[in-house]
Amino acid sequence: MTHNSVIGRFAPSPTGPLHFGSLIAAVASYVDARAAGGQWHLRIDDVDQTRCQPGAAADIQATLEAFGLHWDGPVQTQDGNRSRYQAVLETLIAAGRAYPCGCTRREVAAVGREGPAGIIYPGTCRAGLPPGREARSWRFRTEPGEWVIEDRHCPAITVNVYRDIGDFILRRGDGLHAYHLAMVIDDAELGVTDVVRGGDLRAATAPQVTLQHALGPSTPRYLHLPIALDERGRKLSKTNQAPAVDPTHPAPSLLAALTFLGQAPPSSLHQASPLEILDWATANWATHQIPAVTA
């Protein structure tokens, strides 16, 4: 891989304004791509319209610009790519890699065992819908075997997706395509080579790598980051009412994000502009200084 071939991305969900936890992922993915002389793209992950808030996507874009985090090319959205998701799903169905499922979440939770990525589907509909049941969702048919998942920062992990994850959802009961399918397709279409994101998404890597191999696109390199917590020890998130970063005073939050990432910005940057801070971070980016991921 040449430096100029690096393509990174930031893919926030428009469920509210950008908070400090999301800023960390944005800064790390941006600086990582720019340090390699590569591109950095922005995608709005709005595949789950039930969680999207009006105006949130525009607010996130304006905040990123205020922080000097300028992306390459047009903003990608998932909402406009639904026909592509469906076409790929139909390809998987035709290849026997996807099957209809009539189970509700409650039914799966009642009989499934807990795995590293949630409740493992027990395979109720794997051999066909039980009599009297209609399809609610579509699942990916996993196969036995182990995957070694490499990470640029975390230790490699070995996962048996068939045993540890199970047949995961590709299209939900409400008709919306699932995150794994949408993300894999979108990253492939962007040509993403490096995914830099929070460690809370590390468990999602195994099913995504499985899908990548089934669909043909190459697997990007992964770098998972430590998770920022609030004063109660909870992950900073919109669900936990994490406060929005202040786009009118971006420098302190930028410096705090770089400090969280172990980059130790010098005191001389305290009066610097966002672009000056990002230029310094790009020139001095050191992934080995990022703290360990404990999530």
Side-chain angles (χ1 to χ4, degrees), residues 113-120 159 163-165 203-204:
R113 58 187 176 86
E114 186 72 29
I119 299 296
I120 300 172
V159 180
R163 181 193 65 209
D164 301 331
I165 307 294

Side-chain angles (χ1 to χ4, degrees), residues 99-100 123-131 141:
Y99 65 88
T124 307
C125 302
R126 186 177 172 92
L129 290 168
R141 188 184 300 276

Side-chain angles (χ1 to χ4, degrees), residues 70-114:
H70 302 298
W71 54 90
D72 295 299
V75 177
Q76 186 187 40
T77 64
Q78 293 183 318
D79 189 47
N81 213 14
R82 296 185 187 279
S83 61
R84 173 65 174 152
Y85 304 152
Q86 184 59 30
V88 172
L89 174 59
E90 290 171 4
T91 299
L92 290 171
I93 293 170
R97 297 306 306 273
Y99 65 88
C101 176
C103 301
T104 65
R105 281 188 180 184
R106 182 174 298 179
E107 290 169 336
V108 173
V111 295
R113 58 187 176 86
E114 186 72 29

Side-chain angles (χ1 to χ4, degrees), residues 152-153 261-263 284-291:
R152 292 169 54 200
H153 180 56
L261 291 165
Q263 302 305 296
N284 294 277
W285 181 237
T287 57
H288 68 274
Q289 293 177 193
I290 299 173

